[in-house]
Amino acid sequence: WSSDVCSSDLLGSRRCVLDVGPMPRFDSYLMTDRRQKTRETLDLIFESQKIIYVLQPHHRSLKELEDFLEFADQELISHELTFVLNKVSNSQRGRLLVKSLKNRIGGRPHFLVPRDDTLFERAQGRYASISEVGTRTHVRKALQEISVYLFNST
């Protein structure tokens, strides 16, 4: 699926996958921002039923997540939120970030995609998907779990 194209009918429902790129900053001035890109992003967010928030394991990502959660608690009460922490390392720092993420999102659905630079480089070098070059990897298993969850949650 491309970022701006809806899929064909799956099980009789139309599904759109949109990558809106980096989220606008969620602060007290957000609703007065009249820039076109921010307005379009907000329109897409408000029209969506499900939002998958993907973040990288950086400390600034947790601050951005906190800002998003404040916005979501006020404006997205009826939206289904899912969180994906991408490129999670098994280091002590990585484990602490996962713990912080879980504490911040509470009981909301979340997924962890492990960091495997070698696998991603191999897939990119072969112009192949992860499932083609890493059939028995933790990354593939995590991506499969996310796919099954998203498919079953509609």
Side-chain angles (χ1 to χ4, degrees):
W1 296 332
S2 89
S3 61
D4 58 353
V5 176
C6 292
S7 69
S8 60
D9 284 357
L10 296 174
L11 297 177
S13 66
R14 187 170 171 181
R15 298 179 187 181
C16 294
V17 176
L18 302 169
D19 180 353
V20 296
M23 294 296 294
R25 292 191 61 218
F26 290 97
D27 55 29
S28 59
Y29 302 104
L30 178 66
M31 299 313 280
T32 61
D33 189 345
R34 296 293 180 223
R35 291 178 295 174
Q36 186 66 25
K37 185 145 182 86
T38 301
R39 282 194 359 236
E40 289 174 0
T41 300
L42 286 173
D43 288 345
L44 288 171
I45 289 170
F46 289 127
E47 291 172 11
S48 300
Q49 294 174 349
K50 298 176 188 349
I51 296 173
I52 296 109
Y53 189 94
V54 180
L55 65 151
Q56 302 289 329
H58 304 291
H59 289 294
R60 92 172 173 271
S61 295
L62 292 175
K63 170 63 174 126
E64 292 169 356
L65 172 65
E66 193 67 38
D67 293 342
F68 175 77
L69 288 173
E70 286 179 24
F71 171 77
D73 289 342
Q74 294 174 12
E75 303 292 336
L76 304 175
I77 296 168
S78 64
H79 291 69
E80 187 177 320
L81 301 176
T82 302
F83 297 88
V84 176
L85 183 57
N86 196 19
K87 298 181 182 177
V88 177
S89 71
N90 199 22
S91 67
Q92 182 179 357
R93 181 179 171 274
R95 289 189 299 271
L96 287 173
L97 285 169
V98 169
K99 185 176 179 180
S100 293
L101 169 76
K102 288 181 179 180
N103 287 337
R104 285 187 166 102
I105 65 171
R108 293 180 172 122
H110 64 279
F111 296 91
L112 307 174
V113 179
R115 178 177 207 102
D116 190 341
D117 294 331
T118 304
L119 176 66
F120 287 109
E121 288 174 13
R122 190 168 58 230
Q124 190 175 27
R126 295 181 186 175
Y127 299 100
S129 68
I130 296 298
S131 62
E132 293 172 319
V133 297
T135 57
R136 295 177 184 251
T137 63
H138 293 288
V139 172
R140 183 174 188 277
K141 181 181 177 188
L143 295 175
Q144 185 175 15
E145 287 174 1
I146 294 168
S147 298
V148 168
Y149 169 80
L150 293 174
F151 184 79
N152 290 332
S153 68
T154 56

